[in-house]
Amino acid sequence: MQILRKPLQRAYRKAIKLGSKATIDLIKKKGLSGRGGANFPTGSKWEMVSKEKDSEKYLICNADEGEPGTFKDKFIIEKNPEALIEGILIAAYAIKAKKAFIYLRGEYDYLESKLKKAITKIKNRTGSETPIEIVIGAGAYICGDETAILESIEGKRGQARTKPPFPTVRGLYSKPTVINNVETLANVPLAMLYDDWNKNLRLYSLSGNVTRPGVYELPLGTPLCDLIKLGRPKNPIKAVFFGCFGGCIPHCDIPLHPDAICGKECMLGSCTIIAVDEKQSIVDLVTNIAKFYEFESCGKCTPCREGTYRILNILENISMKNADMKDLDTLKELAEVIKETSFCGLGQTSTNHLLNALKYFRSEFEERVKEKKTRKRTAR
Amino acid sequence: MNIKINNKKIECEEGKTILQVCKDNGINIPTLCYQENLEPEARCRLCIVETKDGKLITSCSSYPKEGMEIKTNSEKVKRARKVNAELLMPEHMDKCFRENKNHDLCRLIHELGIREVRFDPKKKYKVDLGASVIRDDNLCINCGRCVAVCDKIQSTWAIDFAQRAHHEHVTPYSEKNLNDVACIKCGQCIAACPVGAISEREHLQEVLKVLKDKKKHVVVQTAPSIRASLGEEFDLPPGTLVTGKMVAALRRCGFDKVFDTNFGADLTIMEEGSELLKRIKENKGFPMITTCCPAWIKFMEHFYHDLIKNKNMSSCKSPHEMLGSLIKTYYAKKANIPKEDIIVVSIMPCTAKKFESTRPELKSGVDYVLTTRETARLIEHFNIDFKNLSDEDFDPVLGMSTGAAAIFGATGGVMEAALRTAYELATGKELKSVDFKETRGLDGIKTGKVDLDGKKIRFAVANGLKNARELLKEKDKFDFIEIMACPGGCISGGGQPLPYEKEKIKKRIEAIYEEDKRLPLRKSHENPMIKQIYEEFLGKPLSKKSEKLLHTRYFKRSPF
Ligand code: SF4
Ligand code: SF4
Ligand code: SF4
Ligand code: FES
């Protein structure tokens, strides 16, 4: 696997030799882009912050991997923390950050000692003076959002901020801040060092009804079927969920590329694939995900706070065979308005799975709804 | 910059939000969480508009870009607004029995044409019955305006959001009650709330009861700022002075005497002015700080203990408490009514005065405090046709006052009134121009200087407690400081007619200064009745009797 190569501090030394500007240019040339989901060119992000006049700047490594079914960051921290730390030090050097933070998901607190060890080791070997602080989250999904991380590190409630200003202009403590995800930063030294570094390789987290779940390194554009085959499912796969927020589609031959997935009104995001076989009920799955959002909404804006609650209610009624067709319309309308008007990414994506499920698997919902009527009739 | 709104070309300045641009061009966009002068939090998602590419954005927090095309009323916008408003309704509707024209949400539901709400209320929430302020979580729609005001304007931090998702709610820390935390009872959160989830602790029922009681002699007094605002509750234009109608209406409600808190204000100036002169003579205790505002006093007791220790605070009671004491002593004796049979009701713009009247150390002469809003309800209760009443005068002696007292209701008014009297008492010369323009206006902090017979007095006025905090950082640069908790002074107090709009408040302030100009006497010490009461009863300012009846002490409270 490319991600497991050991840069052994050579990339850091190279960066120092090149100086900050040339390092940024190199990253830009290599075409490294953000792996958190937005695919924003990493070098350009760094450049924006390095050009800000402020003397105080920060780097944050987003290790708040809260997306259900996603575990690639954990994989990196466990298997190659040295590359990650080296990447952090290079990024901090390139943007002249005063301090770097690793915002670690609360449930990953057992990885803290591992990270700490790696920090001491790499800092000793490189002689870098940049302090790296590990901040452990309190377990809120919303804190995977860039601006909510800022609030959380500042000691406030984890809620997203209004953008603009963007963090690159006014981030942590109102200073220009770069926020990069673990996979992105771990790739930094590799991209700098190896000529054969492939910018298209991604880490896919595969789980669900497969016998071989785990992290797979494959290029963007790999056919979905190929990945599923690698997972060796027992039963035929009916549908695929792209994590909680990415939506779902019926299992088909589609390349795993953001553009192709987007055409299906889904999002590849952080390459999370949850396979669902024929034995599963889509309604139950969707209800489960709705429960997740009803619990994780930060509560700030109306559609997400109230809407996720109402959606779960209706879905539970459907599951309990206690709803009628009108409720399906309400469900759709709610889901659309939540998507259109929520404040932050959490709300905006919280109904993707539902909208697609209603589109591709509507019959499953209708069956449940109809069951209610038949039952009533027999009771009479 | 050129943009298009609803297919109409519009030129707009940079730096204004889409919402402001729309407002400037007469396009109405519904808002629930947006507040003038505060940063948008964009929580409610009702102010959405549609862009060319079909995206919905919140107009309160987005800025126009060159060439932008915006639709404010497309089908997509309308549907989303409807759904979001509907999502807010279930709890509110359950508790808000009638459609209340003061509730922004209720008005909105009408505008949007929502006739049916598809969702049931979730559960019953807590009702926090505070001494001045009541919070009913069942009505709350989590717009965050109260939290923003308490934090960003009052810097009191008594309330905040707790928990997340649909469990999120507003509360003092660790689910305590408002009475048990450092809430200063200013009621600015009431003014901010678009759905009436926060309101005053009513004394109306108690007052109706004593009005019925034949054995009780019920006396009412009205604060300086009520006469400029009460009319609004009866659909008179903002800034209409209704002094005469107010007195007439209160008599018809059955109050035995109608006195004027302005008399108490004149008295306050005599006491406070003399206190200032005494400090100048002894050359200690600077800066001296006014104490007319009970919310400010409570704030100081929570957060500024050194002002108590260093005796910076004037020891004067607030004007209505002074008058209350006099009613139960001087007036009781004169009218030959046992003190126990007299009930004093204060009509105030203020919720903090309700708390104040329960302070044990005051042995308060005031039994009940009604806000302006409650007073309107009282008048309505007796089916009085307020608009068509003919003017009547206050009852004599404790109803006579000067222009100096009239301006107490606006920020800077106490300072101006005090300076008018202090100047003449100190110099023995006549003050040519009685207007101290530096003290007027809605700026957060105002400063100036005046020469009191050789001693230069540097004065400062702050309104809104965030501003007060700023001013107190530099308190050593001043000799005399006035602080009022509410932005703009009592004229925009927590008990005034809703909703609050800056223009309305400006009109009220104009009315108050009009009243000052209109009155023949404009300095407190010229009030003949004040002279009389000192001769007959109190002796002179700061006498033993004055100290006992008109002054008070302060206590440290926890800042949490
Ligand atoms: S009354 Fe004043 S201090 Fe108390 S919660 Fe309301 S705004 Fe805050
Ligand atoms: S109490 Fe009123 S102002 Fe405060 S959040 Fe609730 S609705 Fe908004
Ligand atoms: S400024 Fe006036 S209305 Fe506001 S709290 Fe103080 S006394 Fe009450
Ligand atoms: S007014 Fe803009 S979101 Fe509430």
Side-chain angles (χ1 to χ4, degrees), chain B residues 479-507:
Chain B
D479 306 305
F480 192 16
I481 294 177
E482 176 204 296
I483 293 178
M484 286 289 181
C486 298
C490 306
I491 204 75
S492 55
Q496 293 281 39
L498 300 168
Y500 280 33
E501 282 147 21
K502 211 165 179 188
E503 283 315 304
K504 246 162 80 174
I505 285 161
K506 276 193 193 141
K507 291 260 163 55

Side-chain angles (χ1 to χ4, degrees), chain B residues 31-34 42-45 47 58 60:
Chain B
T31 60
L32 281 179
C33 67
Y34 170 76
R43 288 170 156 273
C44 76
R45 319 306 281 179
C47 66
T58 45
C60 68

Side-chain angles (χ1 to χ4, degrees), chain B residues 70 120 139 155 169 196 269 279 326 505 530 538 541 560:
Chain B
I70 292 166
D120 300 329
L139 289 164
S155 64
H169 61 281
I269 290 303
R279 290 190 193 205
L326 286 186
I505 285 161
I530 290 279
L538 291 169
F560 300 108

Side-chain angles (χ1 to χ4, degrees), chain A residues 114-188:
Chain A
K114 188 150 209 158
L115 275 171
K116 274 200 173 141
K117 240 192 248 152
I119 292 173
T120 332
K121 185 165 130 197
I122 304 295
K123 275 177 80 175
N124 278 342
R125 294 208 184 149
T126 55
S128 163
E129 302 268 294
T130 314
I132 303 179
E133 186 184 326
I134 301 175
V135 179
I136 298 188
Y141 176 65
I142 178 70
C143 289
D145 178 280
E146 288 197 334
T147 53
I149 290 192
L150 301 177
E151 295 281 295
S152 176
I153 296 183
E154 286 178 18
K156 301 182 193 144
R157 295 182 74 220
Q159 288 195 327
R161 290 184 187 170
T162 325
K163 287 192 267 192
F166 288 92
T168 44
V169 182
R170 255 175 72 187
L172 192 62
Y173 305 115
S174 297
K175 302 290 176 197
T177 304
V178 165
I179 307 168
N180 279 148
N181 137 290
V182 169
E183 191 185 339
T184 318
L185 285 167
N187 264 302
V188 164

Side-chain angles (χ1 to χ4, degrees), chain B residues 294-323:
Chain B
W296 150 240
I297 291 184
K298 191 154 188 280
F299 184 80
M300 179 276 300
E301 290 180 330
H302 284 297
F303 301 113
Y304 285 93
H305 296 166
D306 58 327
L307 296 182
I308 303 178
K309 204 176 86 207
N310 302 337
K311 297 209 161 50
N312 289 112
M313 303 297 289
S314 155
S315 59
C316 290
K317 287 185 186 174
S318 67
H320 85 122
E321 285 294 346
M322 285 201 181
L323 193 63

Side-chain angles (χ1 to χ4, degrees), chain B residues 135 140-147 161 170 189 192-195 197-198:
Chain B
R135 285 199 60 255
C140 174
I141 57 164
N142 290 34
C143 72
R145 283 164 64 155
C146 54
V147 174
F161 283 107
V170 177
C189 48
C193 184
V195 293
I198 319 181

Side-chain angles (χ1 to χ4, degrees), chain B residues 240-306:
Chain B
T240 315
L241 276 176
V242 292
T243 324
K245 289 193 196 322
M246 174 181 75
V247 175
L250 290 172
R251 284 223 176 89
R252 280 170 188 61
C253 291
F255 289 105
D256 297 300
K257 288 277 177 224
V258 185
F259 289 145
D260 194 354
T261 309
N262 287 19
F263 182 89
D266 276 335
L267 198 61
T268 305
I269 290 303
M270 293 305 291
E271 294 291 326
E272 208 166 65
S274 309
E275 211 182 332
L276 180 69
L277 296 180
K278 188 169 154 220
R279 290 190 193 205
I280 292 177
K281 211 157 113 207
E282 293 168 359
N283 199 16
K284 65 171 196 215
F286 291 112
M288 182 170 111
I289 308 180
T290 61
T291 54
C292 294
C293 169
W296 150 240
I297 291 184
K298 191 154 188 280
F299 184 80
M300 179 276 300
E301 290 180 330
H302 284 297
F303 301 113
Y304 285 93
H305 296 166
D306 58 327

